[in-house]
Amino acid sequence: MLQIDNLHAEIDGKPILKGLTLSVSAGEVHAIMGPNGAGKSTLGYVLGGRPGYEVTDGSVTFDGRDLLGMEPHERAAAGLFLGFQYPVEIPGVSNVQFLRESLNAQRASRDEKPLSGGEFLKLARAEAAKLDINAEMLKRPVNVGFSGGEKKRNEMVQMGIIDPKLAILDETDSGLDIDALRIVGEGINRVMRRPDKAVVLITHYERLLEYVAPDFVHVLVDGRVVRSGDIELARELEREGYGAVSA
Amino acid sequence: MTLLTLPSTRQEAFRWTDVDGIAAAASLPRADAGPADAFWLDLPGDRLLFVDGELHASSRLGRAELAEVAASDHPLGSRASGRGWRLALSADAVADPVQVVHLSTGGDNHLAAEILLADDAVGTVVETYAGRGWANRFARLTLGKAARLQRAVRLLQDEGFASTRDEAELGTGASLVQIALGAGGAGSRIDAQVVAGEGAFAEFGGALLTRGTQKQECAVAVRHAEPNGQSRQYWRAVAADQSAASLAARVEVARHAQKTDGEQSLRGILLKRTATVNLKPELEIFADDVKCAHGATVGELDERALFYMQSRGVPRARAQAILTRAFVADAIERIGNEVVADAFMADADAWLERAL
Ligand SMILES: Nc1ncnc2c1ncn2[C@@H]1O[C@H](COP(=O)(O)OP(=O)(O)OP(=O)(O)O)[C@@H](O)[C@H]1O
Ligand SMILES: [Mg+2]
């Protein structure tokens, strides 16, 4: 589904990704762990097409298509979802409006007809309820005044509504309380654990992986995948730290 | 047409005024400006249509009447003093909205207005500028004790220039909420002086949207002459292409006007780096026990928010429109009447559709 080969990317002329290779097939969950500043979020942004993140070498294909040649919104319409480490606040734009615009824009690009206001609200309320986000919060401006954990759960509500094929979730577990972590973990399984879908989970904690059992665990250090393994690798990291594991 | 003597941009109060634009507007040849029908909002009450400053026979006058208005000594306002229309409400009267459409066909036209609300009277006025040429207006607003006036003004002229000068005096506990939208293709200057009495509330703001080589500006001063007054000046400017929007807002607090609460927020967004937004927030405070907050910022649309929306599937141009709309709505949604607010937002949407 996602094939990343020898990816090099820089920000403001500073190389961050330095030859990253990763292959994700349908039905798989991959976890990416790594020290602060390793380039995990950068990988997410490069895959999402954020302006300012310049790819200098390598290739990325998504379902056989050249991902890097697509506009950010085209990547979304193709089925890519990026869960943000720091979800952005948008004053003056309600969650409902934001989500409806997003969903209908994606539907339009797939030649599907837009959902009406009523249909959309029903869907949004149902998805929000699954993540303990009430209808009142849906009316509020996007992420404005949301707590850290609420922002992360809001990302999952968006994922549930958009129903993507591939989700790159950047530290969706950070800042969640114990119950929210379970709710989010279950949400990921419910929406994404399907033979035709895949997940890349960026995380610092082995804890989320207890809920969303990864098929592969990769260690990203200094812009490269330095080790890959299974859940055992995550447990080893938890015990011994990156220094020992990536040495 | 007589030779124009216009203010000079060397005068501080007119430094951003498009004086050449006024002269050019005044020399636009006359041409059919089309019907005014589309500009009426679905509201009860008077409908006054002025074509090139002359009352059109199709007008519907109930509360409003034609009248002589005392002169102003303002450089532009003085040209429009004299002949005009008047809305005078007696004590406790609550009037249906009065709609005024100023349709210009070319050349220059000048007209005065007077809005006089006696104690506790409540009035609503909605004005629309359309067509081409130079429309120059002066209005004198006098609000008695606890009177309330809501006034909304939209500038939708295709070309030319619209200049308005308002001189308002608010009695004890009176409230004036005036919101303007500049969303046409013409240049403009919104010029006002509001004097707020004891405990009066003065809100004067709006949104100026400029594109092409258009120049629009506001120059508004609110003077708190007595204690316990409140004022709000929320202005938003959105500038595209090579256009320029200028926001000059001033709060003056007289020495004994204690407990004044003034808030001023001037914000601009540049849709292109070639556009200009000028901001001039001014506070002149002589009392010591006052609360005056002010903020002034100019920037581009938030790149992070744009990417966030794009990553959810929204094309960039649409994301820009959504963010810009929210920015403009911040000022326009302060219009109390929902029909009016919706119509103004629709005009802003039409503008965005064109500019982005
Ligand atoms: N705009 C920028 N300009 C310059 N350097 C940047 C910029 N954004 C990120 N970087 C640098 O890129 C490197 C990788 O950052 P990135 O956010 O991808 O790390 P990360 O692995 O996600 O870390 P964390 O675990 O702390 O989230 C860091 O050294 C960071 O300082
Ligand atoms: Mg990160």
Side-chain angles (χ1 to χ4, degrees), chain A residues 48-50 72-73 76 81-82 84 88 90 92 98 101-102 105-106 143 155 158, chain B residues 302-305 307-316 318 322-323 325-327:
Chain A
R50 183 170 172 167
H73 72 276
F81 178 88
L82 188 59
F84 283 59
V88 181
I90 313 182
F98 173 70
E101 287 278 354
S102 304
Q106 294 199 22
N143 292 323
E155 292 290 285
Q158 295 176 27
Chain B
D302 182 358
E303 269 303 328
R304 292 171 321 132
F307 175 64
Y308 193 50
M309 284 199 253
Q310 286 179 277
S311 78
R312 297 295 180 255
V314 181
R316 191 174 169 86
R318 178 71 195 142
I322 293 169
L323 289 186
R325 185 184 204 275
F327 180 78

Side-chain angles (χ1 to χ4, degrees), chain A residues 156-170:
Chain A
M156 293 300 96
V157 173
Q158 295 176 27
M159 186 177 78
I161 289 171
I162 288 170
D163 194 19
K165 237 166 132 168
L166 171 65
I168 319 269
L169 305 179
D170 191 356

